[in-house]
Amino acid sequence: MVLPPAPRMSAPPPPVALVRPAMTPTLLLHLPVTTLLLVVLVRLATCTCANGVVTTGGDPNPAANVLHDFTCTCDNMLHDFTCTCDSDMTIVKTDGPATCTKDECTTTPCGTGQTCNDPNTSPSSTGDYTCTCTNGVVTTGGSATCTNDECTATPAPCGAGQTCNDPNPAANVLHDFTCTCDNDMTIVKTCFMTSPVLVTVICLS
């Protein structure tokens, strides 16, 4: 006896992919108030880390009615310390020692018209700045005395009846003053000594 062939089974239809519609403003208008509240709560869940460090993590159950189960992990919370210089609070370095400087000239220690220079701005080096006058007088560690008119010294460098003249009052040019007799301008004596002395001339009466 020959059996009739078994009926041919047709292949099942392919599964239909479910596509979740995007939450457009039009779709949101048709959602119940409860669902809208859940959507807003899910959208507000954010993760942040200090210093802008990137975060990783996720929501294991994105269902709108399952909240507060998301996780956040900061990729790196190390190396965010800072070092600030005591000598200059504007010098700050993250994740390492700062390179500190202290320029003593920033406090304007020199006098008017003088130029200040600090050759070593290390915080441990102090008192090495120089003040330079326009006439070349230089002083280290303090304001310079740019002029020194030797004729104003006490006691007066010239004798009575004499006129003193300092042709170069620069503080670094000394002993160049002259004494001239008032009653005979031809009698002049110049001081070219290596140390301050009382210089006088013998004036004719």
Side-chain angles (χ1 to χ4, degrees):
M1 179 177 180
V2 179
L3 297 176
R8 191 171 187 179
M9 300 295 292
S10 60
V16 178
L18 297 178
V19 179
R20 179 177 293 179
M23 289 297 179
T24 62
T26 303
L27 180 59
L28 289 173
L29 291 176
H30 297 283
L31 292 176
V33 176
T34 304
T35 304
L36 281 173
L37 180 59
L38 293 174
V39 170
V40 171
L41 289 175
V42 171
R43 300 290 290 177
L44 290 178
T46 58
C47 301
T48 57
C49 287
N51 298 333
V53 177
V54 178
T55 60
T56 58
D59 189 350
N61 189 342
N65 60 343
V66 180
L67 301 178
H68 310 302
D69 61 337
F70 65 90
T71 60
C72 293
T73 303
C74 292
D75 287 351
N76 187 4
M77 289 301 291
L78 301 177
H79 311 295
D80 58 343
F81 68 92
T82 60
C83 296
T84 304
C85 293
D86 295 335
S87 59
D88 188 345
M89 301 298 288
T90 63
I91 303 177
V92 182
K93 176 69 179 297
T94 300
D95 190 24
T99 301
C100 301
T101 59
K102 183 179 181 180
D103 189 340
E104 295 181 276
C105 290
T106 58
T107 60
T108 318
C110 300
T112 303
Q114 302 178 22
T115 301
C116 183
N117 177 55
D118 190 351
N120 187 346
T121 57
S122 170
S124 60
S125 176
T126 59
D128 60 339
Y129 66 93
T130 59
C131 295
T132 305
C133 302
T134 56
N135 58 12
V137 176
V138 181
T139 299
T140 300
S143 179
T145 301
C146 297
T147 59
N148 180 23
D149 188 341
E150 295 178 277
C151 292
T152 61
T154 302
C158 297
Q162 303 175 26
T163 299
C164 180
N165 177 55
D166 188 351
N168 188 346
N172 59 344
V173 180
L174 301 176
H175 315 306
D176 60 337
F177 66 92
T178 61
C179 296
T180 304
C181 292
D182 293 337
N183 61 357
D184 189 345
M185 303 298 291
T186 62
I187 302 177
V188 180
K189 185 173 183 180
T190 303
C191 174
F192 287 112
M193 313 299 288
T194 58
S195 60
V197 294
L198 179 63
V199 177
T200 186
V201 295
I202 300 175
C203 300
L204 300 177
S205 56

